[in-house]
């Protein structure tokens, strides 16, 4: 069961400067939510790959950030990368390690999928692509401050 969003933000993805802004924003929010350094690094790496795909293959678009909270205990982020580009004709092929439609290494989509807890891809030729990832704070909770 997913929790209702706590807050949502949209960031444009239309230039290399936007890519840097997106990465910095996600890292800051992940740290604020209590993601550990390794989990932050994995999440920002996935974000970097997906944002670059949005720019290069989708012609630009935006990222939607939704903070999630479940039962006041579980915290996470849902990030959607949305473009109105040409779409992906063969999703299975695009998700195969080593496949590239450009000059990259072919690890963007499949690599991003491995770095996060939830991954969904919706694409229609001629109508664009939306990739949504969700990651929850994991590991040992931080000690509480104040009275026990």
């Amino acid at each position: 069961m997913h929790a209702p969003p706590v807050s949502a933000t949209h960031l444009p993805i239309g230039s290399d400067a936007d890519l840097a802004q997106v990465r910095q924003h996600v890292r800051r929010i992940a740290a604020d939510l209590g993601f550990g350094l390794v989990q932050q690094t994995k999440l920002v790496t996935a974000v970097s790959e997906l944002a670059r795909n949005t720019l290069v293959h989708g012609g630009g678009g935006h990222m939607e950030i939704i903070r999630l909270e479940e039962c006041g205990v579980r915290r996470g982020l849902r990030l959607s990368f949305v473009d109105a580009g040409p779409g992906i004709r063969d999703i299975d092929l695009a998700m195969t390690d080593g496949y590239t439609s450009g000059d990259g290494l072919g690890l963007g989509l499949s690599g991003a999928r491995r770095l996060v807890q939830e991954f969904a891809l919706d694409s229609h030729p001629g109508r664009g692509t939306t990739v949504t990832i969700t990651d929850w704070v994991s590991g040992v909770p931080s000690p509480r401050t104040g009275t026990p």
Side-chain angles (χ1 to χ4, degrees):
M1 175 182 194
H2 289 292
V6 173
S7 64
T9 303
H10 284 80
L11 294 176
I13 300 173
S15 68
D16 285 340
D18 290 341
L19 297 178
Q21 181 73 18
V22 162
R23 287 189 299 266
Q24 291 169 359
H25 196 80
V26 170
R27 183 175 295 280
R28 188 170 40 253
I29 291 173
D32 289 348
L33 286 172
F35 283 78
L37 184 58
V38 171
Q39 194 176 14
Q40 287 177 43
T41 302
K42 288 179 177 181
L43 181 60
V44 170
T45 300
V47 164
S48 184
E49 292 294 332
L50 296 173
R52 179 153 301 284
N53 281 355
T54 300
L55 178 62
V56 172
H57 300 291
H62 71 275
M63 178 183 68
E64 179 180 81
I65 302 170
I66 301 174
R67 291 180 185 226
L68 302 171
E69 189 170 327
E70 197 168 71
C71 302
V73 177
R74 192 172 185 210
R75 295 173 317 281
L77 280 175
R78 178 166 298 132
L79 307 168
S80 294
F81 299 83
V82 181
D83 69 62
I88 300 171
R89 295 202 182 284
D90 187 337
I91 291 174
D92 290 335
L93 181 61
M95 293 300 297
T96 303
D97 284 348
Y99 172 78
T100 180
S101 61
D103 57 3
L105 297 175
L107 298 174
L109 289 174
S110 61
R113 178 178 57 188
R114 284 190 298 274
L115 293 170
V116 297
Q117 294 166 5
E118 299 173 28
F119 182 98
L121 189 153
D122 182 37
S123 187
H124 303 279
R127 294 189 301 180
T129 300
T130 299
V131 178
T132 301
I133 59 174
T134 304
D135 222 8
W136 297 94
V137 175
S138 60
V140 179
S142 302
R144 292 185 179 167
T145 58
T147 58

